[in-house]
């Protein structure tokens, strides 16, 4: 994983949590030493370049032992890159995959070892639980919370990598932990012990089958940072002079993690069997978490995740994903581009560089929405150590060990769920849980609808800033506990990602409206995505009881235009195609009715504007002094008609204000309107408008020529 150095504090970050080592050595002008792995003495340096056939590089004498030749780094072409990746995959061919059966067989046959570890865990956590019980009994729970949180962090660190990963997960769950615990557990991402450097250097040589001297011209004598699964060195490649971060896995970690998950699964089985108030399958959640941790142990898999993430999301100029050096990556060693930057929660440091934290947070929110709802491949561990602000204002994503995917059906269901929430259609919201796999098809959602109504009717009365993700998580959590919901693992990871981003946003600005920042993306997707599910969701949002809600369309265009990728062209074309679809008769009837109303509003509005522009004496002369104006309409009806005309005008203005708007984009529309179905539609619209205008004119004529009745004596 790539490494980032905070400029002011010398803060170094890496992956799943890094520990700062000697901050003075981490600045931009750092000097690095090549250290012999045995004696920590400067070694003779040799130069080597990777061979094309993938065989170990052959060292050649370096003209200068202390200075690496600086060569402009150029990305290999696609074929070379794929070959290098294939060689890296070959080095990871024996990587372990999580299997509950295998770890049960292995550790079940070692009862004394399992018992010793169980006693160690129970002793540490049992003592902590006892202290909490005493605090509660003495009424000191709140008073001692900060102290106990620090103790829990130290316990997790002492218990090893599995519990460090667990603590890191809890540090991003404000719905589960009080603020003091969140703050302390977050330090697990920055303060972990290292293992001997000699073991790390030996691991590099063993994994890559190359001598350290042939790979690097310089490497830091100590780790720059320590993560839960490994530690990181800053180095310079000999063949190119490129500065890189080298992540090396902790020795014996696979064995330790396997034993811990064997024991944790045993607890999960007991919870599933005896704890009735927990409706979620705890064992499934444990297996999902364990599977992801095992994936993190395979650094080639992490490298592939980084490559895929870069391909999908680094097309935006403000998103940075570091490059992989495949020739120097294996199952336990990962070499990536070094990135300079600052933790996203270091607000003062970022602003001192002339950058705005909220701009970076908004970039993170938009990128995360693309991850969750567009491609489905998302970063499942976006803690502050993995989101960095670079000096040139980019947001760098790091640590791709823990990734997840949102199923395609669920992506569309989530967007549809937002539409149903806006419409307060709680019955449809309840049905969404089938598509989201929260409920099995045989579960009756009827009792769930009142619970959703009770929560959201109250929640939607909040301001946008108050209706945050934590509010939703807490409220939905109460509903989930009451009914037979089984929340999929991917959804729990989504909540984790969103709550972390929300925390970063609120840290920068307590009044930052996270949902408001997300809505432009939803609006753009609804307006531009041709997917049938989203098209139906758009129709559902815009039409109600046979009437078109122009205010909804105006709001969608206003919000969608805030998204930098919004295009009026993209919004118009799918709508027209849907309108002229052979199966769109029902929609066409609604559109025809609304087109008649709009055309009439424009025509009548023009008449009213013309009438109002006439001098007073002409108004009286033309309309025989009736004083009733040009139309036989009530004041309310006239105001409604003019408002519709003005609203349509504003909507057209929003379309024209789009950067992508060009009269030339109307050419496809004109082509569509030449189709027979479109001509028939146009004729029906014109006929409807003509009939309504003729009827109003006749009413006006009769009103003007009919004498007033004499009063009855």
């Amino acid at each position: 994983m790539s490494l980032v150095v905070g400029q002011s504090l010398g803060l170094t970050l890496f992956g799943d949590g890094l520990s700062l080592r000697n901050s003075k050595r981490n600045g931009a002008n750092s000097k690095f030493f090549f250290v012999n792995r045995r004696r920590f003495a400067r070694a003779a340096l040799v130069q080597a370049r990777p061979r094309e056939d993938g065989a170990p590089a052959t060292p050649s004498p370096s003209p200068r032992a202390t200075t690496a030749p600086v060569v402009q780094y150029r990305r290999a072409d696609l074929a070379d890159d794929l070959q290098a990746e294939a060689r890296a995959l070959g080095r990871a061919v024996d990587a372990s995959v999580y299997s509950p059966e295998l770890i049960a067989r292995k550790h079940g046959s070692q009862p004394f070892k399992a018992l010793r570890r169980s006693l160690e865990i129970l002793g540490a956590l049992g003592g902590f639980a006892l202290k909490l019980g005493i605090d509660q009994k003495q009424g000191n729970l709140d008073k001692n919370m900060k102290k106990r949180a620090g103790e829990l962090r130290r316990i997790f660190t002492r218990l090893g990598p599995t519990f460090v990963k667990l603590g890191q997960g809890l540090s991003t769950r404000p719905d589960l932990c009080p603020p003091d615990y969140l703050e302390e557990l977050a330090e697990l991402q920055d303060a972990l012990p290292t293992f001997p450097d000699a073991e790390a250097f030996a691991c590099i040589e063993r994994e890559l089958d190359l001598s350290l001297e042939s790979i690097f011209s310089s490497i830091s004598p100590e780790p720059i940072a320590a993560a839960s699964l490994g530690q990181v060195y800053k180095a310079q490649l000999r063949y190119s002079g490129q500065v890189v971060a080298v992540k090396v896995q902790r020795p014996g970690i696979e064995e330790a993690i396997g034993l811990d998950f064997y024991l944790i699964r045993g607890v999960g089985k007991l919870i599933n069997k005896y704890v009735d108030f927990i409706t979620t399958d705890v064992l499934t959640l444990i297996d999902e978490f364990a599977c992801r941790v095992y994936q993190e142990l395979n650094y080639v898999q992490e490298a592939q995740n980084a490559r895929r993430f870069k391909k999908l999301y680094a097309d935006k100029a403000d998103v940075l994903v570091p490059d992989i050096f495949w020739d120097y990556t294996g199952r336990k060693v990962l070499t990536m581009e070094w990135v300079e930057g600052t933790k996203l929660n270091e607000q003062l440091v970022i602003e001192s560089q002339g950058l705005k934290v909220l701009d970076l947070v908004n970039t993170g929110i938009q990128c995360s929405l693309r991850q969750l709802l567009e491609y489905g491949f998302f970063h499942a561990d976006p803690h502050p150590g993995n989101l960095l602000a670079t000096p040139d204002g980019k947001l760098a994503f790091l640590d791709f060990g823990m990734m997840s995917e949102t199923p395609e059906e669920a992506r569309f269901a989530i967007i549809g769920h937002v539409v149903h929430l806006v419409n307060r259609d709680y019955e449809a919201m309840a049905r969404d849980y089938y598509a989201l796999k929260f409920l099995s098809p045989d579960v009756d959602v009827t009792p769930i609808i009142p619970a959703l109504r009770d929560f959201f009717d109250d929640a939607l009365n909040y301001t946008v800033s108050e209706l945050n993700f934590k509010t939703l998580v807490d409220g939905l959590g109460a509903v989930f506990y009451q009914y037979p919901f089984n929340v999929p693992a991917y959804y729990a990871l989504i909540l984790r990602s969103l709550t972390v981003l929300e925390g970063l946003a609120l840290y920068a600005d307590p009044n930052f409206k996270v949902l408001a920042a997300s809505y432009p993306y939803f609006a753009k997707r609804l307006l531009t995505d041709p997917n049938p599910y989203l098209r139906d969701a758009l129709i559902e949002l815009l039409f109600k009881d046979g009437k078109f809600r122009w205010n909804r369309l105006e709001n969608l265009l206003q919000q969608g235009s805030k998204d930098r990728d919004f295009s009026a062209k993209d919004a118009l074309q799918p709508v027209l195609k849907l309108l002229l679809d052979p199966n769109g008769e029902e929609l066409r009837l609604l559109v025809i009715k609304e087109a008649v109303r709009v055309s009439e509003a424009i025509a009548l509005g023009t008449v009213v504007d013309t009438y109002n522009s006439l001098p007073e004496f002409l108004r009286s002369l033309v309309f025989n002094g009736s004083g009733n104006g040009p139309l036989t309409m009530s004041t309310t009806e006239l105001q409604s008609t003019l408002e519709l005309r003005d609203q349509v005008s504003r909507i057209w203005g929003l379309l024209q204000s789009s950067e992508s708007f060009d009269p030339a984009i109307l050419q496809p529309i004109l082509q569509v309107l030449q189709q027979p179905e479109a001509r028939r539609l146009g004729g029906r619209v014109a006929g409807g408008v003509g009939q309504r205008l003729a009827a109003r004119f006749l009413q006006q004529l009769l009103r003007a020529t009919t004498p007033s009745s004499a009063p009855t004596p």
Side-chain angles (χ1 to χ4, degrees), residues 53 139 219 234 249 272 349 394 413 447 521 565 628 651 658:
D53 58 2
I219 188 169
K234 184 176 183 179
Q249 192 172 112
N272 278 353
V349 179
K394 294 183 179 181
Y521 176 84
D565 296 327
N628 293 319
I651 290 172
S658 173

Side-chain angles (χ1 to χ4, degrees), residues 1 14 88 91-92 195 199-209 212 215-216 219 229 231 233 245-250 296-303 324-336:
M1 179 52 53
F14 183 96
R91 289 189 286 271
F195 58 90
E199 293 186 32
F201 296 152
C203 179
I204 294 174
E205 295 190 331
R206 186 171 56 252
E207 284 291 311
L208 303 181
D209 196 23
L212 209 62
I215 305 171
F216 307 115
I219 188 169
L229 303 183
Q231 60 193 32
Y233 296 84
V246 185
K247 183 177 180 180
V248 187
Q249 192 172 112
R250 291 180 180 274
E296 289 190 71
L297 293 177
N298 182 358
Y299 286 175
V300 173
Q301 177 64 55
E302 181 175 339
I324 302 291
F325 292 85
W326 293 102
D327 277 317
Y328 307 121
T329 294
R331 182 167 63 96
K332 297 182 179 181
V333 176
L334 175 61
T335 303
M336 296 184 77

Side-chain angles (χ1 to χ4, degrees), residues 238 480-481 562:
R238 176 167 293 283
F480 290 167
Y481 279 127
K562 296 177 183 178

Side-chain angles (χ1 to χ4, degrees), residues 283-600:
L283 208 56
T284 299
L285 292 179
I286 292 172
D287 286 341
E288 176 70 19
F289 179 67
C291 183
R292 298 189 185 284
V293 171
Y294 266 73
Q295 288 177 356
E296 289 190 71
L297 293 177
N298 182 358
Y299 286 175
V300 173
Q301 177 64 55
E302 181 175 339
Q304 289 183 307
N305 291 341
R307 183 201 58 189
R308 182 182 177 190
F309 192 91
K310 185 181 184 76
K311 180 180 179 181
L312 292 176
Y313 309 116
D315 57 328
K316 304 302 179 184
D318 50 8
V319 173
L320 174 65
V321 179
D323 286 320
I324 302 291
F325 292 85
W326 293 102
D327 277 317
Y328 307 121
T329 294
R331 182 167 63 96
K332 297 182 179 181
V333 176
L334 175 61
T335 303
M336 296 184 77
E337 174 188 3
W338 180 279
V339 180
E340 301 283 352
T342 308
K343 284 178 79 171
L344 212 56
N345 60 359
E346 297 286 345
Q347 184 174 355
L348 295 179
V349 179
I350 292 174
E351 292 181 349
S352 69
Q353 301 172 29
L355 305 176
K356 295 182 179 180
V357 175
L358 289 182
D359 288 345
L360 292 159
V361 168
N362 194 57
T363 296
I365 291 173
Q366 300 307 314
C367 185
S368 295
L369 290 171
R370 291 184 69 203
Q371 294 174 50
L372 300 173
L373 303 175
E374 195 164 329
Y375 296 105
F377 183 65
F378 68 92
H379 196 301
D381 192 21
H383 63 70
N386 292 335
L387 297 172
L388 288 304
T390 66
D392 58 352
K394 294 183 179 181
L395 180 65
F397 283 82
L398 307 176
D399 190 0
F400 303 93
M402 183 175 288
M403 309 295 290
S404 188
E405 296 201 44
T406 311
E408 184 177 19
E409 183 181 9
R411 290 177 235 160
F412 298 129
I414 290 172
I415 297 177
H417 201 60
V418 172
V419 172
H420 297 148
L421 174 61
V422 172
N423 285 342
R424 302 197 184 202
D425 188 346
Y426 302 120
E427 184 176 350
M429 286 181 66
R431 291 196 302 270
D432 289 336
Y433 295 127
Y434 294 133
L436 291 169
K437 308 299 183 186
F438 283 23
L439 297 171
S440 60
D442 59 334
V443 175
D444 181 15
V445 298
T446 304
I448 300 174
I449 297 172
L452 291 173
R453 180 180 294 109
D454 291 342
F455 168 64
F456 282 109
D457 276 349
D458 182 49
L460 292 176
N461 289 325
Y462 298 160
T463 64
V464 176
S465 59
E466 291 173 320
L467 184 57
N468 53 32
F469 286 115
K470 188 176 186 304
T471 302
L472 294 176
V473 169
D474 290 346
L476 288 176
V479 176
F480 290 167
Y481 279 127
Q482 298 175 33
Y483 300 98
F485 283 90
N486 187 18
V487 180
Y490 77 83
Y491 189 76
L493 291 172
I494 287 175
L495 291 180
R496 175 184 179 181
S497 298
L498 295 179
T499 52
V500 168
L501 288 169
E502 178 184 66
L504 290 171
L506 296 178
Y507 181 85
D509 180 3
N511 297 317
F512 185 81
K513 299 178 180 180
V514 178
L515 292 181
S518 304
Y519 196 65
Y521 176 84
F522 284 97
K524 181 202 70 174
R525 286 292 302 276
L526 284 170
L527 288 169
T528 63
D529 198 313
N531 179 273
Y533 186 97
L534 296 186
R535 291 271 64 84
D536 291 344
L538 177 61
I539 293 172
E540 183 179 345
L541 185 66
L542 296 179
F543 285 93
K544 183 178 182 180
D545 300 329
K547 293 184 179 180
F548 190 84
R549 296 187 279 190
W550 288 95
N551 62 318
R552 288 283 175 85
L553 178 58
E554 184 178 10
N555 183 52
L556 282 174
L557 287 170
Q558 287 174 339
Q559 295 296 327
S561 62
K562 296 177 183 178
D563 190 285
R564 60 188 175 188
D565 296 327
F566 175 77
S567 167
K569 175 182 177 181
D570 293 338
L572 289 172
Q573 304 308 314
V575 171
L576 285 175
K577 291 178 182 178
L578 178 67
L579 181 61
L580 300 176
D581 188 275
N583 298 320
E585 178 63 25
E586 182 178 355
L587 176 62
R588 284 194 291 275
L589 292 175
L590 293 173
V591 171
I592 290 170
K593 178 181 177 182
E594 198 61 32
V596 169
R597 198 164 71 94
V598 170
S599 299
E600 182 189 42

Side-chain angles (χ1 to χ4, degrees), residues 46-340:
V46 291
Q47 183 176 2
R49 186 179 181 86
R51 284 171 47 174
E52 296 298 327
D53 58 2
T58 303
S60 60
S62 172
R64 295 183 62 186
T66 58
T67 304
V70 178
V71 180
Q72 181 65 36
Y73 175 70
R74 294 174 296 180
R75 183 191 297 274
D77 60 31
L78 180 59
D80 289 343
D81 199 48
L82 291 175
Q83 289 175 8
E85 181 180 355
R87 291 192 292 271
L89 285 169
R91 289 189 286 271
V93 69
D94 59 343
S96 298
V97 178
Y98 175 71
S99 169
E101 294 77 16
L102 289 179
I103 66 170
R105 283 201 298 268
K106 178 177 181 179
H107 298 289
S109 63
Q110 301 173 334
F112 292 108
K113 186 176 181 180
L115 178 61
R116 185 166 58 250
R117 178 59 173 167
S118 299
L119 293 175
E120 180 184 3
I121 296 172
L122 288 174
L125 295 180
F128 178 76
L130 179 61
K131 291 180 181 180
L132 286 181
I134 294 174
D135 287 343
Q136 186 174 23
K137 186 175 182 180
Q138 295 178 348
N140 295 327
L141 202 60
D142 293 335
K143 178 182 177 181
N144 293 335
M145 184 174 293
K146 180 70 174 178
K147 177 181 177 182
R148 298 296 178 232
E151 291 176 0
L152 183 61
R153 174 179 57 80
R154 290 188 289 273
I155 289 172
F156 279 172
T157 301
R158 191 165 62 249
L159 288 176
T162 308
F163 287 87
V164 168
K165 297 298 294 183
L166 178 63
Q168 289 172 353
L170 290 174
S171 74
T172 62
R173 293 298 299 267
D175 54 318
L176 299 179
C177 297
D180 287 335
Y181 282 85
L182 294 177
E183 182 179 346
E184 283 291 334
L185 293 178
E187 293 186 15
L188 285 169
Q189 298 159 353
D190 293 329
L192 293 168
T194 63
F195 58 90
D197 300 291
E199 293 186 32
F201 296 152
C203 179
I204 294 174
E205 295 190 331
R206 186 171 56 252
E207 284 291 311
L208 303 181
D209 196 23
L210 292 168
S211 66
L212 209 62
E213 295 90 339
S214 68
I215 305 171
F216 307 115
S217 59
S218 61
I219 188 169
S220 54
E222 297 176 357
I224 299 297
S228 58
L229 303 183
Q231 60 193 32
V232 182
Y233 296 84
K234 184 176 183 179
Q236 189 174 47
L237 293 177
R238 176 167 293 283
Y239 87 93
S240 68
Q242 182 83 3
V243 179
V244 294
V246 185
K247 183 177 180 180
V248 187
Q249 192 172 112
R250 291 180 180 274
I253 190 172
E254 189 176 310
E255 175 80 11
I257 286 178
L259 176 58
D260 285 344
F261 278 121
Y262 168 70
L263 299 174
I264 293 172
R265 286 192 92 253
V267 176
K269 289 179 181 178
L270 294 176
I271 292 175
N272 278 353
K273 186 174 182 179
Y274 297 109
V275 181
D276 295 333
F277 67 88
I278 297 180
T279 59
T280 301
D281 188 343
V282 176
L283 208 56
T284 299
L285 292 179
I286 292 172
D287 286 341
E288 176 70 19
F289 179 67
C291 183
R292 298 189 185 284
V293 171
Y294 266 73
Q295 288 177 356
E296 289 190 71
L297 293 177
N298 182 358
Y299 286 175
V300 173
Q301 177 64 55
E302 181 175 339
Q304 289 183 307
N305 291 341
R307 183 201 58 189
R308 182 182 177 190
F309 192 91
K310 185 181 184 76
K311 180 180 179 181
L312 292 176
Y313 309 116
D315 57 328
K316 304 302 179 184
D318 50 8
V319 173
L320 174 65
V321 179
D323 286 320
I324 302 291
F325 292 85
W326 293 102
D327 277 317
Y328 307 121
T329 294
R331 182 167 63 96
K332 297 182 179 181
V333 176
L334 175 61
T335 303
M336 296 184 77
E337 174 188 3
W338 180 279
V339 180
E340 301 283 352

